[in-house]
Amino acid sequence: MTELSARWSAAATAAGATGTAAIAAAGRDLLDRWGEPQRHYHTVDHLAAVLVVVDGQADHADRPDLVRLAVWFHDAVYDPRAAGDANERASAALATATLTGLGVPPDAVAEVARLVLLTAGHGATPDDRDGALLCDADLAVLARPAADYDRYAAAVRREYAHVPDELFRAGRGAVLRHLLDLPALYRLPVLARDWEAPARANLGRELAALAVTG
């Protein structure tokens, strides 16, 4: 947690945040949110994994520190019972309020909020370098080896334990089909080269399994 807190403070400061104590308090609040008990996949581990990808591909972003801040906020509000893009909208609103309170310039605040909202559908365009990096990093789990992917899918199911199987299969299937219908899952060529094929294979495999269990 200490390393993550330091990374939060560095990104916030680089974006123009001021006040060491206030920055630290905001970081603690975010980590508390990522540690909420209803989370099984959207946890601190997911936060850290997405940050690793962003750090590794930061040269492909125009404003990498804003992408890092968007990572911190993109699932900061996470209620599995929320409808549609309510979580992303609430997370963007939290980013706006928090970063404004820390003195981050309005244009940077607006960009972080825009990036957070992109994660609702992962519809960044290839010419949106910051959006592309965020969306690619958020979807990195899809390209993991099959066993890792299956653990991810099982964790998502636990987050939706309140949803009956039939309804879950329908909703999850719609999500998977939306992803498969995207022209490309990954926009950065360096990531797409290695990730696109295994991600599509994993998605197709899960979709087929949902149909079989139905």
Side-chain angles (χ1 to χ4, degrees):
M1 290 296 188
T2 301
E3 179 187 354
L4 276 175
S5 296
R7 292 165 74 180
W8 153 259
S9 296
T13 301
T18 57
T20 302
I23 293 171
R28 288 193 297 272
D29 175 69
L30 285 167
L31 287 172
D32 286 345
R33 290 173 178 275
W34 283 93
E36 292 165 341
Q38 78 275 16
R39 298 167 182 260
H40 297 278
Y41 169 67
H42 296 87
T43 64
V44 170
D45 288 341
H46 172 59
L47 167 66
V50 177
L51 286 171
V52 165
V53 177
V54 170
D55 287 345
Q57 304 298 329
D59 288 348
H60 295 283
D62 292 322
R63 303 182 72 178
D65 283 307
L66 300 190
V67 180
R68 293 183 180 100
L69 291 180
V71 173
W72 276 90
F73 283 103
H74 82 287
D75 285 321
V77 177
Y78 187 71
D79 177 4
R81 297 176 184 269
D85 63 352
N87 284 325
E88 289 83 5
R89 288 187 285 105
S91 294
L94 177 66
T96 298
T98 301
L99 296 176
T100 299
L102 293 175
V104 175
D107 66 315
V109 173
E111 174 64 0
V112 173
R114 182 190 74 84
L115 291 170
V116 170
L117 290 172
L118 276 180
T119 63
H122 299 93
T125 57
D127 61 338
D128 177 5
R129 284 162 51 92
D130 293 344
L133 176 55
L134 175 63
C135 290
D136 284 7
D138 193 30
L139 295 181
V141 67
L142 304 183
R144 297 288 297 160
D148 292 343
Y149 181 92
D150 291 347
R151 282 189 287 271
Y152 145 74
V156 170
R157 182 65 183 105
R158 289 196 297 276
E159 290 182 340
Y160 288 88
H162 60 282
V163 179
D165 283 343
E166 183 177 355
L167 293 178
F168 178 80
R169 286 194 299 270
R172 180 65 177 169
V175 170
L176 299 177
R177 283 189 291 272
H178 164 75
L179 291 169
L180 286 167
D181 286 344
L182 291 173
L185 290 167
Y186 304 105
R187 287 106 181 138
L188 298 182
V190 66
L191 299 180
R193 181 182 62 243
D194 295 328
W195 289 1
E196 188 77 19
R200 288 189 176 275
N202 280 329
L203 290 168
R205 187 167 51 83
E206 184 186 359
L207 189 59
L210 289 173
V212 169
T213 57

